[in-house]
Structure formats: structure tokens, C-alpha cells
Amino acid sequence: MTHAVLISILLVVITTAFGVAFYQASVPSGTLFWDHLTTVVVGAMAFSALGLATTAIVPNADAAPAVVNAIILPLLFLSGIFIPLGPDAPSWMKVVGDVFPVKHFAEAMLGSFYGPPLPFEWSDVLVVAAWGAVGLVLAIRFFSWEPRK
């Protein structure tokens, strides 16, 4: 998990530097900077823990991409990441998106990077952290270096 956090921070720094150098992007400063850094670290830790917990249902290395894609792709769609959920979207889709951490992470990242008018809500970071805690407990209980089958 530490490695994932360090790589996440490094990738954010590289991407931000590229945006500043080639696209004149503005970088958050003051409290938004710290909110953004906190969101990146909490998100990296939480999704790493959830990834480790997922190993409990992955039978072997060959099946890992299929299992992970079967989990993450529907969540990305239901969370409005690929295509924003409009007002006509079924309510169950919005409920599912609100329950899982992907939407909350995306909203915290956007709010902490852009600031107003996009709101930064600590509740989004807390939802991601709660999912990370659940993932950590499951990972501690079920993680194994050896394939299941």
C-alpha cells in the first residue's frame, strides 16, 4: 500500500507538471492543495486495500484482469465517471453510485483541484476512507500470496 501511495503521488506530480508546462494549467494552492494531497493519499490507500481484499475472489493470476474489470467497469459507469448520469437516469443507478467509493473519490478529486464552484466535501473523503478500512480488514483476513486454485 505504501508503494501505491508513493506511485500515486509521483504520478499526480508528473501529470500536474505536464499540465502546467504544456497547457498552462493552474495548480491548487493553500488549503485546496492539502485537500487534494489528502484525497490522493486516502484514495490510493483505500483502493489498494480494496484491491488486496479482491484477491479473496480471484482464483489465480490469469483470472485477475477479468475479475477486476467485472468489478470496476460497472462501478465506473454507475458512478458517472465515463458518462455523467443525467436527471433521467434511473434512481437505482444513482443510489448504487452513491454507495460505492468511486463517485466520492472522483468528486473529492475534482473539488479539491478546481475548488469553487465545485464543492470539496470531506464527507466524500470519509466515504472513501471507510471503504478503505473495510478493504483493509478483508485483506488482512483473506489475502494470500498463493493462488486459490
Side-chain angles (χ1 to χ4, degrees):
M1 286 177 55
T2 303
H3 181 260
V5 170
L6 294 175
I7 294 298
S8 296
I9 292 171
L10 178 64
L11 290 174
V12 168
V13 167
I14 290 170
T15 304
T16 303
F18 189 86
V20 169
F22 295 104
Y23 295 101
Q24 293 73 45
S26 60
V27 178
S29 60
T31 58
L32 280 182
F33 172 80
W34 295 108
D35 294 346
H36 192 68
L37 182 62
T38 302
T39 302
V40 169
V41 170
V42 169
M45 289 172 37
F47 287 109
S48 295
L50 289 167
L52 291 171
T54 303
T55 63
I57 60 172
V58 176
N60 55 49
D62 294 332
V67 171
V68 170
N69 283 331
I71 294 169
I72 195 63
L73 290 176
L75 286 177
L76 291 172
F77 278 104
L78 294 172
S79 298
I81 303 300
F82 292 139
I83 302 168
L85 297 178
D88 296 334
S91 60
W92 69 266
M93 289 178 76
K94 293 177 183 179
V95 169
V96 171
D98 286 340
V99 168
F100 291 99
V102 175
K103 177 182 176 186
H104 296 281
F105 178 68
E107 288 181 355
M109 288 292 289
L110 289 171
S112 66
F113 192 84
Y114 291 112
L118 295 174
F120 174 74
E121 302 285 340
W122 280 105
S123 60
D124 288 325
V125 178
L126 292 175
V127 169
V128 175
W131 272 95
V134 169
L136 184 60
V137 168
L138 292 173
I140 289 169
R141 172 67 178 92
F142 295 109
F143 179 79
S144 171
W145 287 106
E146 298 300 321
R148 306 257 180 250
K149 294 180 183 179

